Amino acid sequence: MKSLFAAPGGQEEINRIAERLVTVCTTMGELPYIRSGTSPVASSLASAVNKKLRDLSPDARGQLNKGGDRALLLILDRTFDPVSPLLHEFTYQAMIYDLLPITDDNVYEYTFDNGGDEVVKKVLLDEHDFLWPKLRHLHIADCINRVIEDFNTFIKTNKAVKLNRGRKELTSLKQMTEAMKEMPQYQEMFAKYALHIRMAGDCMDKYNGTELEKIALIEQDLATGKGPRGESISKVFNSVQEILRDPSVGPNDKMRLALLYLACYKDARSSDKDKMIEAAGFRGKEVELMESMAALGVSSKRRKPHRKE
């Protein structure tokens, strides 16, 4: 973000992005109509893409679609919506990437006890995992229920398993774990269930141990400007400060909440920022990040925060 929104180096980054977009256009055989947001970065990128498309050789341009059904390339930057990346989302995939140590290659690494020995295991989260496509877009509560339902369905439709387990239906993740220990012959399949049991459980542990529910309610108040029942909110800044002072809340969650406040209330008093920095105990790069929010040039239309202090 810094290379895009702060000089020097911004134009160099814009040229790199423009080159990649032109490569996409030529690969698809499109000479698109180009539209952009009103921010300086989006406008600059749109101009750079347009210039690079015009500078293509006649042969290259001749391969592109110039008809009335040309594609539309819409260029926006983060100033268009600075709020969404800061909000906590509680679908399964979002929580996994937010709360668990997932690498850029979609690999989840964890340790487990194997008969007294600690074993490190790495798993790839992709479509080869038959549960992953079913679960990733579900709310975390629905995800846990879906894992249990799928497991019960497997037991009911497999005669050998049904004989071992009888007709008793499982209702919890703990019961599933115990059931899998009784059926080692299905180890590979159960490993997938065990993986998602573990990840869903870890997500819920993080959720319950870091005041995420309380934080999420404040985030929604900030993002919408209204309470859960549509009522006007008051003392929202006090609620933010309360979270920032809470020692059980991690520094990343504190930073996200503080940035969210600044993104939602562009007319907030400059003293609000200083009070949030003090309440959270931000230092060094954390303070710099708060200051850098202005580099985005956020132009939220949100009114000033309600105050009853």
Side-chain angles (χ1 to χ4, degrees):
M1 183 173 80
K2 208 168 185 180
S3 60
L4 269 177
F5 292 94
Q11 191 58 47
E12 183 179 342
E13 183 67 18
I14 283 173
N15 287 336
R16 275 198 295 268
I17 296 172
E19 190 67 46
R20 292 169 184 170
L21 287 174
V22 169
T23 299
V24 172
C25 292
T26 55
T27 300
M28 297 177 66
E30 288 287 348
L31 186 64
Y33 298 106
I34 300 174
R35 302 291 183 267
S36 72
T38 57
S39 76
V41 171
S43 298
S44 296
L45 181 55
S47 297
V49 172
N50 188 47
K51 182 178 185 305
K52 288 182 182 295
L53 285 170
R54 288 201 318 267
D55 291 344
L56 291 172
S57 69
D59 287 345
R61 283 179 63 88
Q63 302 297 316
L64 304 181
N65 175 24
K66 306 181 190 68
D69 60 343
R70 289 158 60 186
L72 172 66
L73 175 61
L74 179 61
I75 297 177
L76 304 170
D77 61 38
R78 185 39 63 193
T79 61
F80 181 78
D81 177 18
V83 171
S84 295
L86 299 171
L87 296 172
H88 284 90
E89 188 184 338
F90 297 116
T91 54
Y92 185 47
Q93 185 176 27
M95 287 189 76
I96 284 173
Y97 286 116
D98 207 358
L99 304 177
L100 303 184
I102 307 295
T103 70
D104 292 339
D105 298 322
N106 261 23
V107 173
Y108 175 56
E109 181 177 315
Y110 64 98
T111 59
F112 65 95
D113 188 349
N114 185 23
D117 297 326
E118 284 221 336
V119 178
V120 177
K121 188 171 179 63
K122 294 181 180 180
V123 292
L124 178 65
L125 299 174
D126 64 5
E127 276 66 21
H128 291 96
D129 176 346
F130 69 96
L131 285 171
W132 179 241
K134 299 179 185 179
L135 302 176
R136 57 186 172 188
H137 299 308
L138 296 178
H139 188 277
I140 187 65
D142 296 328
C143 167
I144 292 172
N145 291 334
R146 179 65 178 270
V147 172
I148 295 172
E149 288 171 7
D150 272 24
F151 192 77
N152 278 317
T153 299
F154 169 72
I155 290 176
K156 289 176 182 177
T157 56
N158 187 295
K159 292 182 179 179
V161 176
K162 195 172 180 181
L163 286 173
N164 287 344
R165 293 293 307 167
R167 296 182 177 274
K168 187 176 181 182
E169 189 166 279
L170 305 174
T171 58
S172 70
L173 295 179
K174 184 177 180 180
Q175 288 177 343
M176 278 185 61
T177 304
E178 293 302 317
M180 285 188 288
K181 292 178 182 177
E182 298 174 15
M183 296 175 279
Q185 67 270 37
Y186 299 100
Q187 186 174 358
E188 186 174 345
M189 176 179 286
F190 288 166
K192 299 296 184 185
Y193 284 105
L195 169 67
H196 292 289
I197 289 170
R198 181 189 180 93
M199 289 200 299
D202 286 350
C203 285
M204 291 309 301
D205 288 344
K206 296 271 189 181
Y207 177 84
N208 293 323
T210 56
E211 296 282 3
L212 268 186
E213 183 176 7
K214 187 174 182 180
I215 293 171
L217 289 174
I218 297 174
E219 287 176 349
Q220 292 302 312
D221 287 350
L222 288 171
T224 63
K226 297 182 181 297
R229 298 174 183 82
E231 72 275 16
S232 296
I233 54 175
S234 62
K235 297 187 178 180
V236 65
F237 186 67
N238 291 351
S239 299
V240 170
Q241 284 196 297
E242 183 182 336
I243 291 294
L244 296 180
R245 293 193 187 99
D246 190 335
S248 70
V249 178
N252 287 340
D253 287 331
K254 290 182 179 182
M255 177 56 68
R256 285 170 67 165
L257 187 61
L259 292 176
L260 180 63
Y261 182 87
L262 294 177
C264 289
Y265 296 111
K266 74 180 184 71
D267 294 326
R269 297 187 299 224
S270 60
S271 60
D272 287 351
K273 180 184 64 183
D274 296 333
K275 288 177 181 178
M276 288 191 291
I277 289 172
E278 182 181 358
F282 291 149
R283 299 287 185 272
K285 290 184 177 180
E286 295 168 326
V287 175
E288 184 182 341
L289 185 56
M290 292 279 286
E291 301 286 353
S292 295
M293 195 66 178
L296 274 173
V298 174
S299 56
S300 170
K301 295 180 181 178
R302 183 69 44 76
R303 61 191 177 283
K304 294 180 182 180
H306 292 278
R307 294 185 183 280
K308 290 185 181 179
E309 301 166 334

